[in-house]
Amino acid sequence: GAGVSQTPSNKVTEKGKYVELRCDPISGHTALYWYRQSLGQGPEFLIYFQGTGAADDSGLPNDRFFAVRPEGSVSTLKIQRTERGDSAVYLCASSLKGGYYEQYFGPGTRLTVT
Amino acid sequence: AQKITQTQPGMFVQEKEAVTLDCTYDTSDQSYGLFWYKQPSSGEMIFLIYQGSYDEQNATEGRYSLNFQKARKSANLVISASQLGDSAMYFCAMREGRDGGFKTIFGAGTRLFVKA
């Protein structure tokens, strides 16, 4: 079956602009996670959704970052007033449920802020 | 304090030999799970193996095994019979809490090079 998909695969934007990154999880997976991976580092947790609600958004670095999952399936990560330090690969993962269930990762969106 | 420590930035192994990638973790929870992921140069994260804190036996998945030493808080990944396709970044990760919590904390990774 289809895995986790993310669009766009690459996004280049200018400092100060607004961007949206989309994640389409595996069908039937109730848990969805967003991570950020900077060059040479491991993924850093941003936010976790169980269904439509954000169960844990403690990893969002500041109020410029926001994520939604209105129908419990597709999720959008939104970044306002982008800064050069936001440049990274943004990874999305989904799992059947939360907890210790295996997470399936998407290919990521590479965001470059110039 | 770092929750997950991977002290080997890079490792070399000869094809067909075994290799151990180190991981130590820090938690005060009794209930936690440990994971290893592989990230090839293409960028996707691939789940390899899972060990629960209450599991008495070390986890194994094909050529992958996890050497779990709870008292030492270590969860080393052993890859047997290395193949050229094993060349990649490897990340150790942990989730804490009775229900697995929500966050997965990753280490900085180890880059494995398999030599022909």
Side-chain angles (χ1 to χ4, degrees):
Chain A
V4 178
S5 63
Q6 292 185 246
T7 54
S9 56
N10 277 285
K11 176 72 177 177
V12 180
T13 191
E14 292 180 348
K15 178 176 178 294
K17 299 289 188 182
Y18 168 83
V19 296
E20 290 189 351
L21 312 180
R22 175 188 168 109
C23 172
D24 206 332
I26 293 172
S27 178
H29 281 194
T30 63
L32 186 146
Y33 305 79
W34 282 99
Y35 297 88
R36 178 170 69 175
Q37 187 174 23
S38 300
L39 194 61
Q41 299 181 20
E44 172 193 11
F45 169 83
L46 295 178
I47 187 170
Y48 157 67
F49 287 91
Q50 182 59 255
T52 60
D56 186 346
D57 64 359
S58 63
L60 294 177
N62 51 59
D63 61 6
R64 295 187 298 105
F65 288 74
F66 188 70
V68 295
R69 195 186 185 199
E71 298 178 357
S73 178
V74 170
S75 176
T76 304
L77 178 66
K78 308 181 181 193
I79 310 174
Q80 298 177 322
R81 303 183 305 280
T82 52
E83 300 177 357
R84 293 195 179 88
D86 298 335
S87 296
V89 175
Y90 289 81
L91 295 168
C92 175
S94 71
S95 66
L96 190 60
K97 299 179 183 180
Y100 295 116
Y101 282 81
E102 178 184 342
Q103 293 182 12
Y104 295 84
F105 282 80
T109 293
R110 181 175 298 278
L111 176 66
T112 304
V113 182
T114 62
Chain B
Q2 285 190 335
K3 290 269 190 176
I4 297 287
T5 302
Q6 295 180 254
T7 58
Q8 307 152 314
M11 287 282 287
F12 287 87
V13 65
Q14 195 68 40
E15 191 179 11
K16 301 181 184 177
E17 292 186 350
V19 63
T20 298
L21 306 184
D22 295 341
C23 173
T24 57
Y25 59 91
D26 181 26
T27 181
S28 56
D29 269 313
Q30 295 301 308
S31 184
Y32 53 90
L34 297 157
F35 302 78
W36 276 91
Y37 289 86
K38 173 184 178 181
Q39 188 175 43
S41 55
S42 53
E44 75 270 29
M45 295 286 285
I46 302 168
F47 166 78
L48 294 178
I49 196 167
Y50 164 77
Q51 179 87 41
S53 59
Y54 293 115
D55 294 341
E56 294 185 353
Q57 292 194 330
N58 287 343
T60 60
E61 288 286 347
R63 294 187 298 110
Y64 304 107
S65 61
L66 199 152
N67 184 0
F68 181 46
Q69 298 187 39
K70 195 169 182 177
R72 296 179 60 187
K73 293 187 175 178
S74 75
N76 299 340
L77 177 70
V78 180
I79 306 174
S80 62
S82 297
Q83 302 171 357
L84 295 178
D86 293 336
S87 294
M89 281 291 287
Y90 288 81
F91 292 99
C92 180
M94 176 175 68
R95 266 175 248 162
E96 301 170 283
R98 185 173 58 86
D99 298 317
F102 307 131
K103 296 181 183 181
T104 302
I105 308 298
F106 285 82
T110 294
R111 183 169 294 280
L112 178 66
F113 300 91
V114 180
K115 299 181 291 183

